[in-house]
Amino acid sequence: MQKALAMWLLLAASGGAQPEVSPTQVVQAATEQVLQVVQDGQLAAPVSQDQRRLEVQRIAERLFDFQEMSRRSLALHWRERTPQEQAEFVAVFKQLLGRAYIGRLENYSGEQIVYVSEQVDGEFATVRSKIVTGRGAEIPVDYRLHQVGARWVVYDVAVSGVSFVANYRGQFDKIIRSSSYAALMRDLKGKYAETTGRATAPVVAPAVAPVQK
């Protein structure tokens, strides 16, 4: 765990042109940090659930490129949105993705996580891993990353071969084509309210046009 923490600190401090931490180290360090928070006895009490989830959300925001995941999930519909609509979608989608990520790891009960391989192709990489259950079943989990500045960040996750982004892209496209983008946002905001207990979606600052010189 100390090694993972050291890698995480190195990742946070990296600022060079090339990442100093490999894609596998990025995924492994973040996963172990989350599991440490989830399993921390001092935060296990129900009264500390919000505190625990807030800390996991912070780690998730460092691991995932929510902007890119949002863009890929909306696909061609992303280009049809205004900057304000894009910002609103990212804000809501990020919270839902973060909650889903937290929910999966909160159910962790000591399963073995094995990092199988790493493939790097320029600014893109795939980290293949598997979760081995107590009964010996293996669940493949592939992380797809790209390089942003001096960091590797995740833009998609495939569980048992099913792409997270592709799955949502199909759902979102179906709703928009059969109804409207407004209907999709109503659905997402409704899910946000259900998972967070909040009546309204995150507040997004209005987009400001650049000053003309």
Side-chain angles (χ1 to χ4, degrees):
M1 186 63 69
Q2 291 181 345
K3 182 179 180 181
L5 178 59
M7 284 297 179
W8 189 251
L9 294 174
L10 177 60
L11 170 63
S14 63
Q18 294 295 323
E20 298 181 36
V21 182
S22 73
T24 300
Q25 290 171 328
V26 168
V27 173
Q28 183 174 6
T31 301
E32 292 191 12
Q33 283 289 291
V34 169
L35 293 179
Q36 183 181 36
V37 172
V38 170
Q39 298 176 4
D40 191 334
Q42 294 180 350
L43 297 179
V47 295
S48 299
Q49 185 178 44
D50 288 341
Q51 180 184 355
R52 184 171 67 251
R53 287 186 169 178
L54 178 60
E55 183 60 29
V56 173
Q57 184 78 33
R58 288 173 180 168
I59 298 171
E61 288 183 6
R62 185 72 184 177
L63 175 64
F64 294 104
D65 185 345
F66 289 112
Q67 175 88 10
E68 182 66 10
M69 296 179 81
S70 298
R71 185 185 70 80
R72 287 173 178 263
S73 295
L74 276 184
L76 60 89
H77 302 294
W78 175 263
R79 298 192 296 271
E80 299 170 352
R81 310 273 65 85
T82 67
Q84 178 65 20
E85 288 174 329
Q86 291 176 352
E88 180 185 35
F89 181 85
V90 173
V92 176
F93 196 39
K94 177 175 69 174
Q95 293 295 327
L96 292 174
L97 290 174
R99 290 281 171 167
Y101 178 63
I102 293 169
R104 283 181 178 273
L105 291 179
E106 281 182 334
N107 294 325
Y108 178 80
S109 57
E111 294 85 355
Q112 183 183 10
I113 301 176
V114 180
Y115 295 92
V116 179
S117 66
E118 171 184 297
Q119 181 179 0
V120 178
D121 184 9
E123 296 182 352
F124 293 87
T126 300
V127 174
R128 292 185 170 84
S129 69
K130 61 182 178 182
I131 299 173
V132 183
T133 69
R135 296 184 176 181
E138 297 184 354
I139 304 172
V141 181
D142 295 345
Y143 295 85
R144 296 163 185 168
L145 304 89
H146 67 153
Q147 186 179 335
V148 177
R151 297 194 300 128
W152 286 107
V153 287
V154 174
Y155 68 85
D156 194 11
V157 180
V159 179
S160 297
V162 179
S163 162
F164 193 87
V165 167
N167 184 45
Y168 273 106
R169 181 164 57 235
Q171 294 181 45
F172 294 166
D173 181 67
K174 183 177 181 179
I175 293 173
I176 293 173
R177 290 184 183 277
S178 64
S179 185
S180 65
Y181 175 76
L184 171 63
M185 287 305 296
R186 284 196 299 270
D187 287 351
L188 293 182
K189 289 177 181 179
K191 288 184 175 63
Y192 175 85
E194 291 176 6
T195 58
T196 63
R198 299 176 183 177
T200 59
V203 176
V204 180
V208 178
V211 177
Q212 299 294 328
K213 294 184 180 180

